Amino acid sequence: MSGSARDPRIDHDVVWVVEDSAEDAEAIQRALGRTHPGLTLEFTDRGAGVAERLLEAARRPGLVLLDLKLPGLSGAEVLRSIRSMPELNDVTVVAFTSSTAPDEVDATYAAGADSYIYKPVNFELFTTVLKGAVDYWQRRAKGGDEGPAAQPPSS
Amino acid sequence: MEQHEGRASSRADDGWWSSRLHELWRVSDRVQDVAELADSLYGMLLRMPGVLAVVGARWSGGLLHYLRSVTLSEPTPSFMEVEQEFGAAAAEDPDGDPPVTVHEVSELDGAMPHVQLLVAAGARIVAECAVPLAQGGWVSFMVATAERAAVDVTLRSRLKQVAEVTMVSDRRLMARREDELRQVSDAFLAEASLQMDSSLDVERTVRRVARTAVPAVAEGCVVHLCLPGGLTPVASSHMDAGEQQWLGAVAAEDLWLTHVLEQVLSRGQGRVLHGDELEGGPFGAASSGAGRAVRALSVNPLRARGRALGTLTFLYHRVVIAESASRFLADLAGRAALAIDTSTLYEQRRQHVVSLQRHLLPSELPRISGLTLSSAYEVGDASLDVGGDFYDAVSGAQDGVTLLIGDVCGRGAEAAALTGLARHTLRTLLEDGGPPEHALGRLNQALLREGTSRFVTALVAVLVRDGKGFLLRYWSAGHPAPLVRRADGAVEELTAHGDLLGVLEDIEYGSGSAHMAPGDALVLFTDGVTEARAADGTFFESCLRDTVAQQGAGAAEGFAERLAATAAGFRATGADDIAVLVAQAEVVA
């Protein structure tokens, strides 16, 4: 995120995944395990309490992958509760859904998502999409968007 | 001399070198990116005797992408992004076996960033080995020493060995990546097509295309369509919600981008722009703001059935992806164009059908003293074909009215043409006061003359004042028998058979008459009503009389609409249109 003073409690190598489908959670684990073996993934299958746990976490994740279709507290509601806490401004939230319906996209942005990612069916494509999202936000977190400049060693 | 010294100095570490080289080969099999070899590779070369620094430069033509370096004083590899064009003369494209060349640093162009790194490390002599990369361009490894003697046969052959590992590893990776890209592209095309097909609304289709592609294809996507006001952005999506607005503004206002899009559109050929091709625009390392992270741009024309519809633009933050995907992009643009074209055609066609259907039915029914007329038309299926049902009402010379209803079998353009012919022929002749048998006979001849394989059913009903009510006479040519709903709710069927029109020269009509008292209603309909079928297989015909009895109990206005809506609501299958025309004799106070 672009917060001027970065949150020292954020660990950009930690990703929280809020996903109720066991198959999708397994696919995310498999895909990111392949492309980003260095990431620590933490899974939760419901939205209730996610924002509060983020607030309390000693190591806050740099990225939250949020499924929009959750039982109980919906993805959009989780998003709104995270965004209602200014302490969590530096946590990037990527909404992850199987819908490309424009109304849903608009509503998700309005609720404060940093990215809206379409969840493909094909696993290879799924891996590519996840990798694209994680790479993008990791580059951003490491200042990769600030144009040509000397960088710490990469890979 | 040189050779002997070289051997002597390196013999001790021969074992070390070959074990490291072996390790490098092993690692090279696992890496996802050839850059992952960099750490071990640079470290190995730096440990060679007399080496001050190792610098790697990634080139495409005269474009220097980045540098990697290690020096004795800074052995941790550092990375420096350059993305600067130095002209084709700045570097030579290697081909085939990587040759090792040796240069005096003082003879190299001191303005080049890699030369500056070499100078800073105190190098006087540099041994260079360039490796062509499968994805285009090459990487040049430079080993810096203080004196020429350090560049011995061992150093040269070891430089060549690591260059070869890099080259082989790169080719293997590229083959694997191409295979993956093909798989991912095919999967993407399939899923994108599915998303596009799920909407027939142009704007929604376009927004779905833009959404599905990010980040599967690129970090940003913009779709422009050729609208009456010119090339107009209709959808954009960016990986970063915070940059959507910037992208939208660039898509709408940037003149450089507009120029590029128009060029692509007029040439009809996709383009990938990177390096200095981005100069003067809102993208690339030289630009400011959000566009700075954009390393490459691809623009493809959207064309369907020979027409230019617009452009599909992708923004990449990594240059490599854009280079290897032109066939895929052209494919994607082709499919998107088809989806957009289908949506556009659907909308146009829907408009045509609506206006055609309007011409086939009377815009309003005449007002007849003593009678309340109502009518309804329900389209049977959503396939957009014009249906063949028609009805009309012609006011009589004296008090009274002539009603007509009919059905041309089938749907589509031919059925629509015949429907127009049938309705206007009957209407014109009936308006002129001709007898109904004559009007139906003329229509039969016209249909036979047309040589059509379609037949028509029709029914003409004439209502004239008779005391407080009306006298009804009717002529049917194969049309479903009308119903009369009496004021007390009883429903009677008027027998009417007769031959179809458009089949035989001589036809017989099913005719008859009845008296209609105040409150009685004549209900005319087409077979779409009787043949409407519920999910359990029952036809609406089985409950038609009851429905007429019930719906007729309400206001005379809207009787036909209520009946048609009930039939349409009943229908689970049956694609026929439904037409209903009702005349109800008013109750005189």
Side-chain angles (χ1 to χ4, degrees), chain A residues 100 102 105-106 109 113-118 120-122 124-125 128-129 133 136-137 139-140 147-148 151 153, chain B residues 68 77 79 183-184 187-188 191 195 204 207-208 211-212 215-216 219 238-241 243-244 285 292 317-318:
Chain A
T100 58
V105 180
D106 292 343
Y109 278 138
D114 293 298
S115 284
Y116 184 99
I117 305 291
Y118 158 70
V121 181
N122 176 281
E124 295 299 328
L125 185 57
T128 305
V129 166
Y136 181 88
W137 289 108
R139 275 203 306 275
R140 282 290 300 260
Q151 283 194 337
Chain B
R68 247 179 240 284
F79 178 86
Q183 272 186 43
V184 167
F188 177 77
E191 298 205 17
Q195 291 292 326
R204 294 177 75 87
R207 289 185 66 180
R208 280 172 187 272
R211 183 50 53 192
T212 316
E219 278 77 11
H238 196 282
M239 187 63 210
D240 184 346
E243 289 181 6
Q244 291 259 123
R292 222 170 146 178
H317 287 196
R318 291 146 299 169

Side-chain angles (χ1 to χ4, degrees), chain A residues 52-139:
Chain A
E52 293 73 14
R53 269 179 285 143
L54 276 172
L55 208 55
E56 289 157 14
R59 262 169 100 207
R60 276 182 197 146
L63 191 73
V64 175
L65 276 180
L66 177 66
D67 180 24
L68 285 182
K69 293 211 169 53
L70 291 170
L73 198 63
S74 78
E77 284 164 326
V78 175
L79 195 50
R80 272 191 290 273
S81 63
I82 293 176
R83 286 296 167 243
S84 71
M85 301 175 179
E87 300 91 326
L88 300 180
N89 271 354
D90 287 346
V91 175
T92 299
V93 182
V94 172
F96 210 50
T97 159
S98 50
S99 159
T100 58
D103 307 340
E104 194 177 332
V105 180
D106 292 343
T108 309
Y109 278 138
D114 293 298
S115 284
Y116 184 99
I117 305 291
Y118 158 70
K119 195 191 279 183
V121 181
N122 176 281
F123 181 71
E124 295 299 328
L125 185 57
F126 185 79
T127 307
T128 305
V129 166
L130 267 183
K131 178 181 187 310
V134 172
D135 279 349
Y136 181 88
W137 289 108
Q138 289 217 321
R139 275 203 306 275

Side-chain angles (χ1 to χ4, degrees), chain B residues 147-158:
Chain B
E147 47 197 322
R148 191 169 280 273
V151 187
D152 59 4
V153 161
T154 309
L155 181 63
R156 286 172 191 233
S157 74
R158 288 181 179 182

